[in-house]
Amino acid sequence: LEHGVDVVLLFEGERHHNYRLVRGVKNRFGSTRELGVFQMTDRGLEEVPNPSFVFLEERSGPIAGSVVVPSLNGTRPVLVEIQALVVPGRFGVPRRTTSGVDQNRVSLLLAVLERHAGVEMGAQDVYVKVTGGLWLDEPAVDLAVAVALYSSFINRPVEAGLVVMGEIGLGGELRGVQRAAQRVREAVKLGFTRALVPRSNAREVRESLQGDLEVLPAKHIQEALEQACG
C-alpha cells in the first residue's frame, strides 16, 4: 500500500501524554526529515508553535540528574529535558531502565564513564527518562545523558542556564554534532546562557551567536563532566 501513495505520515507519542509527533515516512513532494508537534485538546489536535517551551515549562529549576539538550528532529531543533536517577542497587543485579532513549546506548555510556572518567556505577540502579514522551535516537544526546547520570550519581545539579550536546566515542572523546549553531540559537531564545559543546563545534557556535551565549568547549568526557557540574 505504501508504494501506491504519495505521502505516509506516522503519529508518535505515549498515550498518557497530550503531545503527538507527526513524522513523514514517505513524501514524493518534499523532505521526510520534518517534525510536527501537536497537542490533544477538547477541540481535537492543535499545533504547538513552540515545542521547546512546552516541553520545558514544567521543569522545576536545577536538580541533580536533570539536563537540557537541544535535539534535532528533522531540521527542527527542540529543547528537551533528560532526567537520570542513580541509586544503590538492592536486589543483586543492578537495574537499567530507560524511557525515550535506547537502553543499550545507556549501557555503553555507563561503560565509557567507568573506563575514561573513573565513575563506577556498576552496583547502581540506573533510570533514564526523556520528558514529554519523546524518543531521542541521535548521537548528539550522548553527552547530555552522561552528564545527567553523573549529576545524579554525585547528587549535584548542573550549572544553571546550561544546555549540553555532543556525541561520545568509546575512547571518551567528544565528537562534533551537525547544525550545532542552529541548536544553540533555539536555547538562547528560551533564556539559556551557557552551552557545553564538543571543541570541534565551539568556533561555529561562537561565530554564529556573537557573544549572546557563553560557550564551554570540551574535548573529553572527563573535561565535560567537570565543566557541567563544577
Side-chain angles (χ1 to χ4, degrees):
L1 179 61
E2 187 171 316
H3 290 286
V5 298
D6 293 327
V7 178
V8 178
L9 300 177
L10 178 65
F11 267 96
E12 298 178 355
E14 296 184 4
R15 62 191 181 94
H16 299 296
H17 288 83
N18 289 331
Y19 303 110
R20 298 291 183 269
L21 309 181
V22 180
R23 298 181 188 272
V25 178
K26 175 184 179 181
N27 186 359
R28 293 186 189 273
F29 310 107
S31 172
T32 58
R33 301 179 60 194
E34 301 302 328
L35 174 73
V37 182
F38 296 85
Q39 182 176 12
M40 182 64 73
T41 70
D42 55 0
R43 297 179 298 276
L45 284 174
E46 294 186 350
E47 181 185 5
V48 176
N50 190 346
S52 295
F53 176 79
V54 170
F55 290 138
L56 297 181
E57 66 178 343
E58 296 183 11
R59 187 169 183 252
S60 55
I63 59 174
S66 172
V67 175
V68 175
V69 56
S71 175
L72 201 62
N73 290 273
T75 59
R76 185 178 195 175
V78 177
L79 267 62
V80 183
E81 180 186 10
I82 294 179
Q83 294 181 335
L85 180 62
V86 180
V87 295
R90 302 187 185 279
F91 303 103
V93 179
R95 299 189 63 181
R96 302 287 184 261
T97 303
T98 63
S99 174
V101 290
D102 182 63
Q103 185 172 334
N104 292 329
R105 192 71 181 179
V106 172
S107 297
L108 181 151
L109 294 173
L110 288 170
V112 173
L113 283 169
E114 180 172 347
R115 180 64 180 270
H116 299 288
V119 183
E120 298 185 5
M121 302 188 202
Q124 309 291 315
D125 288 343
V126 172
Y127 305 89
V128 179
K129 174 184 175 66
V130 178
T131 62
L134 295 178
W135 176 267
L136 303 181
D137 59 357
E138 62 165 340
V141 305
D142 284 356
L143 184 56
V145 173
V147 170
L149 290 167
Y150 180 70
S151 169
S152 178
F153 181 65
I154 66 173
N155 196 28
R156 184 183 304 167
V158 301
E159 297 290 332
L162 179 72
V163 292
V164 178
M165 62 181 176
E167 179 182 356
I168 299 177
L170 291 180
E173 77 279 7
L174 300 187
R175 300 177 179 271
V177 303
Q178 62 175 334
R179 302 183 184 177
Q182 182 183 358
R183 296 171 189 260
V184 177
R185 277 197 297 270
E186 182 70 15
V188 172
K189 293 178 183 177
L190 293 185
F192 287 87
T193 57
R194 312 176 80 201
L196 178 58
V197 303
R199 187 168 297 178
S200 57
N201 288 129
R203 181 177 178 180
E204 171 194 353
V205 173
R206 285 197 181 104
E207 291 178 351
S208 174
L209 297 176
Q210 299 180 349
D212 293 335
L213 173 139
E214 181 184 1
V215 179
L216 305 177
K219 191 174 182 179
H220 191 270
I221 178 62
Q222 192 165 14
E223 181 185 1
L225 296 177
E226 292 172 357
Q227 294 197 74
C229 298

